[in-house]
Amino acid sequence: MTVAGAAGPLEGARVFLTGVTGFVGQAVLQQLLSTYPTTSVTVLVRPRGDISAQDRLEGLLRKAVFTPWRREIGREAVQAALRERVRVVEGDLGSLTALPGDIDVVLHGASTVSFDPPIDEAFRDNVSGAQALYDAVLASGADPHVVHISTAYVAGLRKGIVPEERHEHHVDWRAEAQAAFTARDSVERESRHPEVLQDLLKKARDRHGKAGPQAVAQAAEQARVKWVHRRLVDFGRSRAQSLGWPDVYTFTKALGERVAEELWADSGHRLSVVRPTIIESALHTPAPGWIDGFKVADPLIVAYGQGYLPEFPGLPDSVLDIIPVDMVVNAALAAAASPPPAGQSQYFHVGSGARNPLPFRRMFDNVLTYFTAHPMPDGKGGQVQVPAWEFPGGRQVERRLRRDERLMDLAGRALLRLPATERTRNWAVEVQRKHDGLGQLRGYADLYQSYTQTEVIYDDSRTRALHEALPEDRRRDHGFDVSEIDWERYLQEVHIPGITKLARAFSGRNRDATTRPASLPRRTDVAAVFDLQGTVLASNVVEQYLLMQKAVLPPAQWPHEVADLARSLPEYLRAERRDRGEFIRTFVRRYEGVDQVQLQALVDGELGEALRRGVIPQAVAQIKAHREAGHRTVLVTGAIDVFVRPLAPLFDEVVAAKMHCDQGTWTGYLDAPPLVDEARAAWLREYARARGLDLSGSYAYGDSQSDRVWLELVGHPQAVNPDVALYQYAKRKHWQVHSWDRPSRTRLEGLAGNLASRTHK
């Protein structure tokens, strides 16, 4: 079957489509199925896990882009179209099997959609993938018209008008691909150099030391993997810019064009290259505003609406070249129906900059107007007041950004050393919000300023002629006349409402995940494991020691004891920051010489009463709720067992540290290592195994970064009045966070607490 002549439809054609699960690919398939009822389509789909390619395709056809088509023809006709008009080739561009030999048109749209992937991934998707495709088409024996969907930005960094023609450069795509694929091995070796590993380990210890040595090792290895990723991203960006492209995406897309030209057109076949600019939501088809996820301009728009971008390094008079996705699809299909002579290539720029330009300042004015009238929620019950940009220029924005990044880093480190209070947690939220905003601004400035400072116009004379060659009755539904776009209407009534709806829905899901109250299903095969100090008991080991000493020391010695403890606090603080177990071992040395019988009598009397007054009321209620639900309640603490005796009736089981005793006198040493951080995690695994408990259905309550490693073992981790480090981690992981009220204290307990709070626990 041959393709119809110039500007004719693709009736009866056999089309092979790559990238069908992507944004443009979905829209192309929708248009082919709904508009060309006699056209058959073969799609390349990769299976995913246990989901076959055929099942993925059927799931794809249930997406919103196909809703108008499904409603129009009905369920039976959809199933008939799947049987009679759509074939699936299972695999991807890296593992292509034999292709059908009866293909009339190839629409190649598969590629990476990230501007800054690692260099080897960019070459795999955009260069080697194209090579594999054209080798497979050549091997099939077919002679289709190939439509290679590229990007206008393959022109690279330049100024002025870019014509619709083959770009001349002398980059050897084979040599560049080989270098890209060997880059990962080189970077992996570099990441294992002692200097790199020692730096990563130091940062991991500073951040995660309290969680234990394995947590430090895991954090260091995760940081090494991220280091490799960032390094490969830098490889790609640097190599692209050294050759005249803004990023590795446009660089590899340009080389992908060269692959198509050399392997297909230069071998005597027909090639059309379609180069869209920044593709955004639909103007008309399948529905105004349809979009599949955030595209190039959308993260900037949403981040601005959320208050994260106080300024941006863009030129107010540069052209932000946006094109609705349905115009790209229509142009690609029109090009497919109008092949060039054999052995030749033709090029089409599909953009708005030449005939209906949208200056960056006009884009900003529309975004400002929209978010002023429709502000985003600020997460605190109010609304974000968006800033007015002054466009100070890239250098000034960079200076501000560096200054603010340094300030936020200092603030973040300082917060980790402050006591855990509601105020410091609120500060942490604000610092994290500003840090995230700076990170977004940094990322967007690095990625997008080449597109918001551009001084290039993509000539679209051939694309305009292609549109005008369409029959007049097809131009409205199948045309791509960019002069019809009313930017104010499109941006404020179609595009921005659509993407902000997505953003609000996403933030709503995240908010629900962190605030939804925990349910307590009735089960007997799960546990509820509680830390003691800061979680169940408001007091800590320092307060317990002071209360004991107040009870046994003569009044004249009390000031000396308090002063001595205050002098020792810096040592305890250093130990606490390094390792919770080290702190406990260091501190319990103060108990050397304590009479065990005398202390037990105190605990059974006035000291026990003081300890019980320190129990957090919500903790008691939560423990009772777990017991009523049949859950096994367990208290696990590094505190000495004698001090836990008054609280034992609350729990089914208590596991605590024991002091070594010599003839009734404490030696100041523990009988066994304290169950903290990773030791507690190991104990919990074995405890659950021995009793047949389901950890995935269990609950755990802790308040410190040192608790993180064992909280992660259960399906329902709970952070209670957490320190700043645990609070930030819990928020990232969407754990339940509780702010439980501290009980009122006596004057003595308040004095002890003020001194003890300096140990952070």
Side-chain angles (χ1 to χ4, degrees), residues 18 66 230 391 479 507 537 604 624 686:
T18 71
F66 297 98
R230 288 194 301 270
F391 299 96
S507 64
L537 195 64
D604 291 338
K624 289 181 177 178
E686 178 59 25

Side-chain angles (χ1 to χ4, degrees), residues 245-266:
W245 282 274
D247 48 56
V248 74
Y249 170 76
T250 53
F251 173 42
T252 53
K253 290 292 283 186
L255 298 188
E257 279 194 17
R258 186 66 85 239
V259 171
E261 291 158 350
E262 290 186 7
L263 297 186
W264 192 249
D266 294 353

Side-chain angles (χ1 to χ4, degrees), residues 532-539 608-624 635 643-644 646-648 650-651 721 740-745 749:
L532 176 62
Q533 292 149 355
T535 305
V536 173
L537 195 64
S539 63
E609 285 300 318
L611 291 172
R612 279 188 286 270
R613 283 195 298 271
V615 173
I616 298 172
Q618 290 99 323
V620 175
Q622 195 70 11
I623 295 164
K624 289 181 177 178
L635 176 67
F643 292 109
V644 184
L647 309 181
L650 289 171
F651 299 92
N721 299 335
W740 287 350
D741 298 328
R742 303 272 180 167
S744 59
R745 297 181 172 187
E749 291 160 356

